[in-house]
Amino acid sequence: MHQWGESESGESGVLLSLVVPMFDEAQVLGEFFSRCEAALGGLGDYEIVCVNDGSRDDTLARLLEYHGRDPRIKVVNLSRNFGQQPALCAGLSLCRGQAVIVMDGDLQDPPELIPQLVEKWREGFDIVHCVRAGRSNEGFVKRLTSKLFWRFYNRLADVPVQNLGYFRLMSRRVVNAVNALPEKQRFMRSLFSYVGYPSAQIAYQRPAREKGATKYRYWQLWNLALDAITAFSTLPLRMWSYVGLLISGSAFCYAAFLVLRKLLLGGDVPGYESLMVAILFLGGVQLITLGVLGEYIGRVFHEVKGRPVFIIESAHGFGEED
Ligand code: UDP
Ligand code: MG
């Protein structure tokens, strides 16, 4: 059972870690830290690991300022913008808490929930999800596409994903398991589900973003969706054998029908239209199949190169500098 102040805590001196990817979040920082500090108040020792994901505004300078004032605020500075998932990985690899909370830096994941998360963790759950009870303040299209995507994804994927956001608490053994997964393309939500362990949920209302802007455009969400599907399902690859079987089956029946008709009725050679339809249809199916193969081969290519998921330019507050 996890308890504050147990032996491991002695070594690292850290019990609870917040891991927060930040990309152009300078406007929110002040409020973010004050609300986190208020929420973390009675919870014992903590660290806030902020990963600066190549921000173009003065996020880094301001983070370092906060780090100077409070060493519990630690800063990982990536060498460029790698994206939210790699930034998360960077934070997870450096944080040292026995419980680790992953959250957005834009206050859409309210820090006030942290005590509840910790409460559940103390009860013995390894993962505590925060499930969005309502997303009334996100656009209709975004809600709809996201709902459809997750429904589709969970049909397809080997491991269903339980919730939508990242906001969650994980125990040290879950974080270690996630860190140990070797793949370079890291769709974190699926990886978190993949490692398993006992989990609990708490519901919350996700507030709208008050300052700054969302970093995701629709094509990025589309790419994210492709990453998610190709990382956890091979159905798109395998289904073409069945489609092929179906098409050749129908073609065979159609051929039998044509032969019979010829024998019974004799006659002319109609069928230009049906020929065109068959050629175009099959051509289309073949191109789609090639495209699907391409998606996977592209990812295999990416994986085989084995490039690091992120590159850390500097780290502040983690003992021996860098
Ligand atoms: N983020 C990041 N790198 C990126 C994009 C986003 O570190 O390339 C961070 C961002 O600063 C925020 C979190 O990921 O803390 C979620 O991003 P955002 O609020 O833009 O996403 P949304 O809430 O709209 O899904
Ligand atoms: Mg947000």
Side-chain angles (χ1 to χ4, degrees):
M1 191 56 101
H2 327 280
Q3 275 304 324
W4 297 116
E6 260 179 357
S7 53
E8 315 102 289
S9 63
E11 300 164 35
S12 68
V14 169
L15 283 162
L16 182 62
S17 301
L18 299 194
V19 172
V20 195
M22 291 183 171
F23 178 47
D24 290 354
E25 303 290 2
Q27 294 166 304
V28 209
L29 281 185
E31 196 188 339
F32 179 77
F33 287 128
S34 59
R35 280 174 61 182
C36 281
E37 271 155 30
L40 288 161
L43 291 178
D45 207 1
Y46 66 86
E47 64 175 2
I48 305 180
V49 177
C50 303
V51 185
N52 175 44
D53 186 19
S55 298
R56 297 156 296 186
D57 61 5
D58 58 348
T59 302
L60 177 65
R62 299 208 45 202
L63 280 176
L64 290 177
E65 230 172 79
Y66 280 100
H67 167 63
R69 266 182 260 157
D70 182 353
R72 290 176 298 186
I73 296 176
K74 303 178 179 180
V75 185
V76 185
N77 183 34
L78 299 188
S79 59
R80 63 171 170 86
N81 177 250
F82 279 87
Q84 186 182 0
Q85 331 250 349
L88 257 182
C89 293
L92 286 178
S93 67
L94 285 176
C95 71
R96 286 172 213 154
Q98 275 86 58
V100 179
I101 294 176
V102 169
M103 62 197 291
D104 287 358
D106 59 357
L107 289 171
Q108 282 193 284
D109 298 336
E112 288 70 27
L113 289 176
I114 292 173
Q116 287 181 50
L117 290 173
V118 171
E119 186 68 29
K120 283 274 177 208
W121 173 66
R122 280 177 177 160
E123 283 172 26
F125 293 101
D126 282 277
I127 306 184
V128 189
H129 300 283
C130 300
V131 182
R132 300 167 185 174
R135 313 220 290 168
S136 44
N137 34 41
E138 276 173 295
F140 173 73
V141 183
K142 185 160 183 181
R143 280 197 329 251
L144 183 76
T145 45
S146 138
K147 191 171 156 191
L148 288 178
F149 168 73
W150 286 106
R151 187 172 294 176
F152 176 69
Y153 177 85
N154 280 332
R155 281 270 164 87
L156 224 60
D158 313 332
V159 194
V161 168
Q162 285 156 332
N163 78 332
L164 303 159
Y166 281 106
F167 191 19
R168 71 191 65 204
L169 179 146
M170 289 174 286
S171 66
R172 176 43 53 187
R173 57 179 185 168
V174 172
V175 174
N176 287 345
V178 170
N179 286 342
L181 295 174
E183 57 242 81
K184 303 291 176 189
Q185 247 151 16
R186 302 178 79 81
F187 188 70
M188 297 304 278
R189 275 172 246 196
S190 314
L191 295 184
F192 291 147
S193 306
Y194 174 81
V195 298
Y197 290 111
S199 66
Q201 303 191 334
I202 60 176
Y204 76 112
Q205 277 285 341
R206 188 167 165 89
R209 191 190 247 275
E210 273 164 25
K211 294 185 187 133
T214 175
K215 309 301 181 310
Y216 286 101
R217 304 230 164 77
Y218 271 100
W219 68 266
Q220 284 172 308
L221 289 173
W222 168 251
N223 281 336
L224 212 58
L226 285 185
D227 278 347
I229 292 170
T230 50
F232 276 84
S233 172
T234 49
L235 191 67
L237 279 178
R238 286 178 287 123
M239 71 183 201
W240 296 105
S241 353
Y242 302 103
V243 174
L245 216 62
L246 203 77
I247 292 177
S248 2
S250 345
F252 183 78
C253 294
Y254 187 54
F257 164 75
L258 288 183
V259 169
L260 274 181
R261 195 174 62 171
K262 187 86 172 185
L263 288 178
L264 294 178
L265 303 175
D268 51 355
V269 244
Y272 174 71
E273 295 90 341
S274 55
L275 209 64
M276 281 312 282
V277 167
I279 289 174
L280 287 179
F281 176 69
L282 279 180
V285 170
Q286 282 167 342
L287 283 180
I288 294 171
T289 319
L290 280 179
V292 172
L293 286 180
E295 288 291 336
Y296 281 88
I297 291 175
R299 281 168 175 77
V300 171
F301 176 64
H302 191 94
E303 208 65 48
V304 160
K305 282 182 295 188
R307 288 181 188 152
V309 179
F310 53 81
I311 296 173
I312 296 177
E313 185 184 327
S314 57
H316 308 264
F318 295 91
E320 298 148 61
E321 213 66 340
D322 214 333

